[in-house]
Amino acid sequence: MNRFTIASLCVAIAPFFLQAAEPSAFGAGNLNAPNPYGLTSNEKVILQNKNSLNDVKIKSNNQANEVDSLRERLDGLQSIIESLSRKAHNNKITLKQLDEQSSQDSESADEYEKRLSEVTQANALSIEKINTILPELSTIIDSINSTYITKTEFNALVDDVNKFKSLMASDLKGKKSGSKSSTFANMSNGEVATKAQAFFKKKYYTDAIKYYSYLIEKNYKPAYAHYVIGEMNYKRKNYSNAISYFKKSVSLYSKGSYMPNLMLHTALSMKNSGDNKNAQAF
């Protein structure tokens, strides 16, 4: 079987392999994955902000649980104190009654001393319980004070993240509109594609990526444009970005003549990224 036949067979069966392998092998750029890969620089910043907010959320939930636990313990302590107060009041009444009886009956004096001893022991046990609880409450309060994030601080963090996202979006928009409006003002999409291909062949990748990105925005042969940008990232060893562009190219059109090369470089990019399992599928 000659090379032409093999290449033709690869093109013919490529869509079937892609359909079977795409869900697992093309997981690049998924920010919700346990271990995201194939992220662009902007996606990495968004993932970092997402993880920071999640850490704050977890910390806030833990603190809320500690506060609830502290509130329960304080309620328990308050119940003990209220119980002691009631007992003290009742004991005062009882002692008064016993004191009145002691002048009339000598046996009342013995009852008075017995009841006084019982009251003293009960109060001693209650005080011991309080002394046991207080150090634990003090530890919880110290822990909360050292890690507590106020609502104001949390809102400030969210505002900072939102401002950063807005600045990034406006900065990127400004750069795109300012540079592209002057560069491509008097050029047709076909002329842009011709220049882009020339830059690519000369290995002027920075200019080529700029031109092909413009064609993607204009939806001019976007599948091929994604493939070529993926190739340039592959040659620059930016394997995560390469996988991301290859994936998009396949989703747009999976029957291009470049498909065998795309599959091969996807596999090599995955292998170089440490994803040997999915690389083997290609």
Side-chain angles (χ1 to χ4, degrees):
M1 187 179 292
N2 56 36
R3 294 182 180 179
F4 177 77
T5 305
I6 294 174
S8 300
L9 180 59
C10 287
V11 173
I13 66 174
F16 299 100
F17 279 106
L18 289 169
Q19 186 177 4
E22 183 177 351
S24 60
F26 272 135
N30 182 8
L31 295 177
N32 295 320
N35 296 301
Y37 70 96
L39 304 181
T40 62
S41 57
N42 287 338
E43 288 173 336
K44 290 178 181 178
V45 173
I46 293 173
L47 178 63
Q48 184 178 1
N49 291 335
K50 178 182 176 183
N51 291 336
S52 297
L53 285 175
N54 188 53
D55 291 341
V56 171
K57 180 180 178 182
I58 293 173
K59 192 173 184 180
S60 178
N61 290 338
N62 291 339
Q63 290 169 350
N65 292 335
E66 291 181 355
V67 170
D68 289 339
S69 176
L70 177 60
R71 186 180 292 110
E72 291 176 359
R73 294 179 183 277
L74 288 175
D75 290 342
L77 179 60
Q78 184 176 358
S79 298
I80 293 175
I81 294 174
E82 290 175 353
S83 176
L84 287 175
S85 178
R86 288 194 299 270
K87 288 181 180 179
H89 178 72
N90 293 335
N91 290 338
K92 184 177 181 180
I93 294 174
T94 301
L95 291 175
K96 184 178 180 180
Q97 292 174 349
L98 291 175
D99 185 47
E100 291 175 351
Q101 293 177 2
S102 63
S103 60
Q104 300 177 0
D105 191 355
S106 60
E107 293 182 358
S108 296
D110 295 335
E111 181 66 21
Y112 174 83
E113 292 181 0
K114 180 180 179 182
R115 185 60 182 271
L116 179 61
S117 177
E118 291 176 353
V119 170
T120 302
Q121 290 178 1
N123 288 341
L125 290 174
S126 297
I127 292 172
E128 184 177 352
K129 289 181 180 179
I130 293 175
N131 289 334
T132 302
I133 295 172
L134 285 177
E136 189 174 354
L137 291 176
S138 177
T139 301
I140 294 174
I141 292 172
D142 290 340
S143 174
I144 292 176
N145 287 336
S146 63
T147 60
Y148 180 68
I149 297 177
T150 65
K151 184 178 181 180
T152 301
E153 292 172 332
F154 179 81
N155 290 337
L157 175 61
V158 174
D159 289 340
D160 288 341
V161 172
N162 290 334
K163 288 178 182 178
F164 174 79
K165 289 168 65 177
S166 298
L167 287 173
M168 287 287 294
S170 60
D171 183 55
L172 290 173
K173 184 177 180 181
K175 288 180 179 179
K176 289 179 179 179
S177 60
S179 60
K180 292 179 180 178
S181 60
S182 59
T183 303
F184 308 109
N186 299 318
M187 298 175 62
S188 67
N189 290 336
E191 291 172 333
V192 174
T194 300
K195 284 187 173 291
Q197 189 67 16
F199 285 136
F200 175 62
K201 289 182 177 180
K202 292 179 181 179
K203 298 184 179 180
Y204 296 165
Y205 293 152
T206 300
D207 291 327
I209 289 174
K210 178 180 177 181
Y211 276 63
Y212 276 116
S213 296
Y214 174 81
L215 293 174
I216 289 173
E217 289 184 7
K218 295 299 181 180
N219 200 32
Y220 183 81
K221 298 181 179 180
Y224 181 73
H226 277 92
Y227 160 69
V228 179
I229 294 178
E231 280 291 293
M232 288 184 280
N233 276 281
Y234 171 77
K235 293 179 184 298
R236 284 179 167 181
K237 298 183 179 181
N238 296 328
Y239 299 117
S240 296
N241 286 344
I243 294 171
S244 179
Y245 278 100
F246 288 150
K247 173 184 177 181
K248 184 62 177 178
S249 176
V250 171
S251 69
L252 293 171
Y253 185 67
S254 62
K255 298 181 180 180
S257 60
Y258 50 83
M259 198 56 58
N261 195 56
L262 181 150
M263 293 177 65
L264 174 62
H265 286 174
T266 297
L268 294 175
S269 296
M270 289 177 173
K271 182 178 180 181
N272 288 318
S273 299
D275 190 2
N276 292 324
K277 180 178 179 181
N278 285 322
Q280 188 64 32
F282 278 75

